[in-house]
Amino acid sequence: MRLIPVAILVLLALASCTTGQHSRQQAEWLPLFNGQDLQDWMVKIQHHEVGENFGNTFRVADGVIQVRYDQYGEFNDQFGHLYYKVPFSQYHLKLEYRFVGALQQGAPSYTLRNSGVMFHSQDPRSMPKEQDWPISIEFQFLGGLGDGKPRPTGNMCSPGTQIVYNGQLDERHCIESTSKTYDGDQWVRAELIVLGDSSITHIINGDTVMRYSKPQIGGGVVNRYDPVMKQDGKLLTSGFIALQSEGQPVDFRKIELKDLSKKR
């Protein structure tokens, strides 16, 4: 019988260990979007009941979640959100987005090349039919307008909420990040690291562009909600994740999440 040198056995063992670690690391990322359909997601659009995907607003084509308005007519403030089926508390979310096409007729001008991800959101089933935005924090995405002026993305907006920024409670509805401006229809990679109510980090194309803490219910910019749901001052430690629809066609893909609560 031929003997295998000890050095080779050690190398084989190390290679096997490395491969196993890599497989475990890969397995830690949970795909929230299967690339084929909207299974595991819930729709809520203003003026409509939960589960009614009015105008086929959210659809899947070529492995991408598309937000479209070709069956709408006037936009009529039909702000929509597509929610993943369960809430999360401590996690690392990553996805890619791009803006395409023109703003839908009748959509507010501020929604031009504007979308985002809502997180620490209330359950869509707790929203009345006429509520416009969920009580949540928004990881806001903005596209450049091609005019040479800066328009950062990866910002923070706060419908029905507030945050602590630079050490103090900040009552502004939106706070700009330090990101670059991204013009055209290029794909942009966005990452969100959420540690309950203690720390939130926004990352755009690998660059950390914003940090803040203590997300909590409070402030305005949310209408026709159930008063039971708006307990001002209550810290937000968990909630639903949702993709936004507010009048601008946009695509989302490669939506994955790593649950960090299992590591703490």
Side-chain angles (χ1 to χ4, degrees):
M1 181 178 67
R2 183 179 178 183
L3 296 178
I4 301 176
V6 172
I8 294 178
L9 289 173
V10 171
L11 288 173
L12 289 172
L14 287 173
S16 176
C17 181
T18 301
T19 300
Q21 289 176 347
H22 179 72
S23 297
R24 286 194 297 274
Q25 289 172 353
Q26 291 294 101
E28 287 179 346
W29 285 100
L30 169 69
L32 301 189
F33 170 49
N34 63 18
Q36 300 175 349
D37 54 40
L38 297 179
Q39 181 180 349
D40 298 330
W41 295 80
M42 298 180 284
V43 177
K44 175 65 181 77
I45 299 174
Q46 186 179 3
H47 308 323
H48 305 277
E49 301 290 352
V50 176
E52 183 182 348
N53 189 11
F54 172 79
N56 197 24
T57 302
F58 298 98
R59 61 189 73 166
V60 176
D62 302 322
V64 170
I65 294 178
Q66 299 180 334
V67 179
R68 298 291 188 270
Y69 310 97
D70 51 282
Q71 300 176 31
Y72 267 52
E74 280 284 334
F75 183 65
N76 190 29
D77 288 344
Q78 292 174 109
F79 303 112
H81 299 84
L82 181 68
Y83 298 79
Y84 190 68
K85 63 181 179 180
V86 296
F88 295 97
S89 176
Q90 302 176 50
Y91 55 89
H92 185 168
L93 175 73
K94 61 183 181 181
L95 57 87
E96 294 182 359
Y97 73 89
R98 69 177 177 184
F99 293 109
V100 296
L103 186 67
Q104 179 63 17
Q105 181 181 1
S109 60
Y110 67 81
T111 65
L112 176 62
R113 296 178 64 77
N114 183 344
S115 188
V117 171
M118 322 304 280
F119 65 97
H120 276 357
S121 170
Q122 68 182 107
D123 189 322
R125 291 161 291 200
S126 69
M127 294 174 62
K129 184 177 177 179
E130 296 302 324
Q131 184 173 337
D132 46 7
W133 317 103
I135 297 170
S136 59
I137 307 293
E138 180 185 355
F139 184 18
Q140 186 196 48
F141 304 147
L142 296 179
L145 302 180
D147 55 7
K149 297 179 181 179
R151 199 174 190 233
T153 189
N155 309 310
M156 188 291 309
C157 293
S158 54
T161 54
Q162 296 173 330
I163 63 164
V164 170
Y165 184 63
N166 289 335
Q168 61 184 11
L169 188 67
D170 198 314
E171 297 182 354
R172 287 177 290 174
H173 172 53
C174 291
I175 303 174
E176 286 190 348
S177 79
T178 60
S179 88
K180 300 186 298 183
T181 300
Y182 295 89
D183 291 304
D185 60 358
Q186 62 184 297
W187 287 101
V188 179
R189 187 174 73 257
E191 299 176 66
L192 180 68
I193 301 176
V194 179
L195 300 178
D197 63 3
S198 64
S199 173
I200 297 168
T201 303
H202 294 190
I203 302 170
I204 297 293
N205 279 350
D207 295 327
T208 297
V209 298
M210 176 171 278
R211 285 195 177 99
Y212 52 93
S213 63
K214 293 184 170 57
Q216 57 195 269
I217 298 175
V221 199
V222 60
N223 301 286
R224 296 172 295 280
Y225 52 83
D226 180 348
V228 171
M229 301 305 301
K230 196 167 186 299
Q231 302 174 30
D232 288 359
K234 180 181 179 181
L235 289 172
L236 294 171
T237 59
S238 66
F240 287 79
I241 295 169
L243 308 178
Q244 192 174 66
S245 158
E246 54 181 359
Q248 169 67 51
V250 60
D251 292 337
F252 298 98
R253 69 179 184 184
K254 299 180 180 178
I255 308 168
E256 298 179 302
L257 182 142
K258 182 183 289 186
D259 187 351
L260 302 180
S261 65
K262 299 175 182 177
K263 294 180 172 295
R264 294 171 65 80

